[in-house]
Amino acid sequence: MKWIRIYAMLMRNLYLYKRSFPRLLDIFYWPLLELLLWGFISVFLERNNVGGANIITMLMGAIIFWDLLNQSQKAVSISFLEELWEKNFLNIFVTPLTPNEFLISGSILGIIRVAIVSVVMAFFAFILYSFNIFTLGFSLIPFLALLLLFGWTLVFFSIAIILRYGTSAQVLAWGFLALIQPFSAVFYPVSALPIKIQYLAYLLPTTHIFEGMRAVISTGFIPWSALGWALLLNVVYLALVMIYFNIMFAWVKKKGLLAKLDF
């Protein structure tokens, strides 16, 4: 693995943002829109004394965390899909670039996007709702890191499926997060779900992450069990996904399908 190749791919993707209004819109407009929507809802609930005094902190923290997960996933998926749409995938991999270097460059791009979105959302949350994200404390940083890791795991899995089944499966790059959101206890506790669904919910790292986030906000202490389960599930899923991804990439190369991934 060569960092110079990772850096080259990273710079290639960053240069695309320089004069691309739609890409900038995706970073600034949509996160702000979600912040406004859920911010107004949380203010309404607080004024009507619904959910307790820290309802704004709970909801605002949840929407910021979820949008950061979304940004980490989008950065890799968009960079991958653009190579397919422009039929540039084969050109990239006739170079010494390896699949893992390609994924790492996309993940670093995701970190950059997450950092930018964090600053934007923190600024507007403070201006519009007097919500200071730093009051959440540094105890939430491990949960945020695990959340980003799971976002990358999801997108690596969707890329592997697209490699296997072609661009007809690209809807998965956009749909996985929407699929798991109802079961991840983002805006409500797991206890709000039906009993049988709760078993499914606890198989997701996101569930333990958001439950842990609410516990940190409520008590100020890290729930180590939630952190441990989130870490364990993340490691297991990431390992399985990387094995699957490498198998699918080797299969595509063997079949000579890199040049026609729109099959």
Side-chain angles (χ1 to χ4, degrees):
M1 184 173 66
K2 299 289 186 179
W3 284 103
I4 188 64
R5 294 197 290 265
I6 296 174
Y7 175 75
M9 283 300 300
L10 176 63
M11 294 306 297
R12 179 188 182 280
N13 286 305
L14 287 176
Y15 280 132
L16 294 175
Y17 284 83
K18 189 175 181 180
R19 295 184 179 179
S20 176
F21 181 72
R23 288 182 177 86
L24 296 177
L25 197 69
D26 194 41
I27 292 178
F28 295 102
Y29 176 73
W30 295 114
L32 179 57
L33 186 64
E34 290 188 4
L35 184 68
L36 290 173
L37 174 64
W38 286 99
F40 292 148
I41 292 174
S42 60
V43 168
F44 168 77
L45 294 175
E46 184 190 42
R47 288 177 179 175
N48 288 272
N49 197 28
V50 178
N54 63 348
I55 186 64
I56 285 187
T57 304
M58 292 286 189
L59 286 179
M60 297 291 282
I63 190 56
I64 290 174
F65 263 50
W66 185 258
D67 204 78
L68 296 182
L69 170 62
N70 190 30
Q71 291 295 330
S72 71
Q73 190 252 5
K74 273 185 178 181
V76 186
S77 60
I78 290 176
S79 63
F80 170 76
L81 288 172
E82 283 183 336
E83 303 298 348
L84 295 187
W85 296 333
E86 297 170 5
K87 301 190 182 302
N88 194 44
F89 205 67
L90 180 61
N91 297 333
I92 289 177
F93 285 104
V94 296
T95 70
L97 184 74
T98 66
N100 289 337
E101 289 170 348
F102 177 82
L103 295 180
I104 291 173
S105 68
S107 301
I108 296 174
L109 179 63
I111 293 175
I112 295 173
R113 284 184 56 144
V114 164
I116 295 173
V117 171
S118 299
V119 172
V120 171
M121 296 189 77
F123 173 77
F124 281 103
F126 183 75
I127 295 297
L128 297 174
Y129 309 110
S130 299
F131 173 75
N132 185 358
I133 193 173
F134 297 106
T135 60
L136 298 180
F138 292 101
S139 300
L140 290 178
I141 292 179
F143 290 102
L144 177 59
L146 292 174
L147 195 64
L148 301 184
L149 182 60
F150 186 63
W152 295 330
T153 301
L154 283 180
V155 74
F156 296 165
F157 181 57
S158 63
I159 289 174
I161 294 178
I162 294 171
L163 287 174
R164 175 61 181 84
Y165 297 102
T167 52
S168 58
Q170 64 183 304
V171 66
L172 295 175
W174 318 107
F176 265 131
L177 284 184
L179 180 65
I180 69 169
Q181 188 182 47
F183 312 106
S184 296
V186 181
F187 304 111
Y188 43 78
V190 178
S191 58
L193 297 171
I195 296 296
K196 293 183 179 179
I197 301 297
Q198 290 182 24
Y199 295 116
L200 173 63
Y202 280 122
L203 294 176
L204 297 171
T206 45
T207 302
H208 300 279
I209 290 169
F210 283 100
E211 287 281 87
M213 180 200 74
R214 282 188 288 271
V216 170
I217 292 174
S218 299
T219 66
F221 297 100
I222 297 177
W224 294 105
S225 60
L227 188 65
W229 276 110
L231 176 60
L232 176 62
L233 290 171
N234 257 321
V235 170
V236 171
Y237 290 149
L238 181 60
L240 293 174
V241 164
M242 291 308 299
I243 292 172
Y244 180 66
F245 173 84
N246 284 293
I247 290 174
M248 288 299 100
F249 190 85
W251 182 85
V252 168
K253 285 180 63 178
K254 182 179 179 180
K255 296 292 184 179
L257 297 174
L258 276 179
K260 46 181 179 180
L261 276 173
D262 56 346
F263 58 92

